[in-house]
Amino acid sequence: MSEMKHYNRYYKEMGGALLLYMLTLVVSVRYGMRLEHGALQTVVFVSPMLPFVLGIWAVVRQIRRSDEFMRKVSVEHLAITAGITAGWTFTYGFLENAGFPKLSMFTVWPVMGAVWALLSVSEAIRSRPKH
């Protein structure tokens, strides 16, 4: 299977996971707010994580479909992303001790996603063929 077919399949899998995530998120927020506090409300609020797992599955499948070079680059980007995110969260934890406002855990993934996207874009620019 060509590299382009791999990417098309990945975009379909990831797009489906994201679409399902957004739908589940909207339904869980609307329905969960009407429920009393308790186990059912918790399950409803956490339910968007099921399609999130599908997104993880799409990433894993894409890495496994890739050739060795792309696997190496992907793992390198994930390692750098994890390191930067760990540094940022620890730094901000110390800043909270100094009086900075508490941040939601929802801020972690956007930072990771942004770093990963920047690394991927810079790699694509750096490795494109020169004419």
Side-chain angles (χ1 to χ4, degrees), residues 64-77:
R64 288 182 177 163
R65 283 188 293 252
S66 300
D67 62 22
E68 289 181 24
F69 175 74
M70 288 308 295
R71 282 187 203 163
K72 175 192 162 291
V73 169
S74 296
V75 171
E76 186 178 295
H77 288 176

Side-chain angles (χ1 to χ4, degrees), residues 9-19 54-56 58-59 116:
R9 189 174 203 170
Y10 170 70
Y11 294 139
K12 287 178 185 172
E13 292 172 356
M14 183 56 84
L18 286 174
L19 182 63
L54 292 176
I56 294 170
V59 170
W116 191 6

Side-chain angles (χ1 to χ4, degrees), residues 20-96:
L20 194 56
Y21 173 80
M22 289 186 286
L23 290 172
T24 309
L25 180 65
V26 169
V27 170
S28 73
V29 169
R30 286 188 176 193
Y31 182 65
M33 298 300 268
R34 297 179 188 156
L35 296 173
E36 292 183 26
H37 293 289
L40 179 60
Q41 186 188 47
T42 302
V43 169
V44 169
F45 279 143
V46 175
S47 64
M49 293 312 296
L50 292 174
F52 191 90
V53 171
L54 292 176
I56 294 170
W57 175 72
V59 170
V60 169
R61 285 176 48 92
Q62 177 60 16
I63 290 172
R64 288 182 177 163
R65 283 188 293 252
S66 300
D67 62 22
E68 289 181 24
F69 175 74
M70 288 308 295
R71 282 187 203 163
K72 175 192 162 291
V73 169
S74 296
V75 171
E76 186 178 295
H77 288 176
L78 288 172
I80 293 169
T81 298
I84 289 173
T85 304
W88 171 74
T89 55
F90 265 72
T91 301
Y92 200 83
F94 291 124
L95 291 173
E96 286 179 348

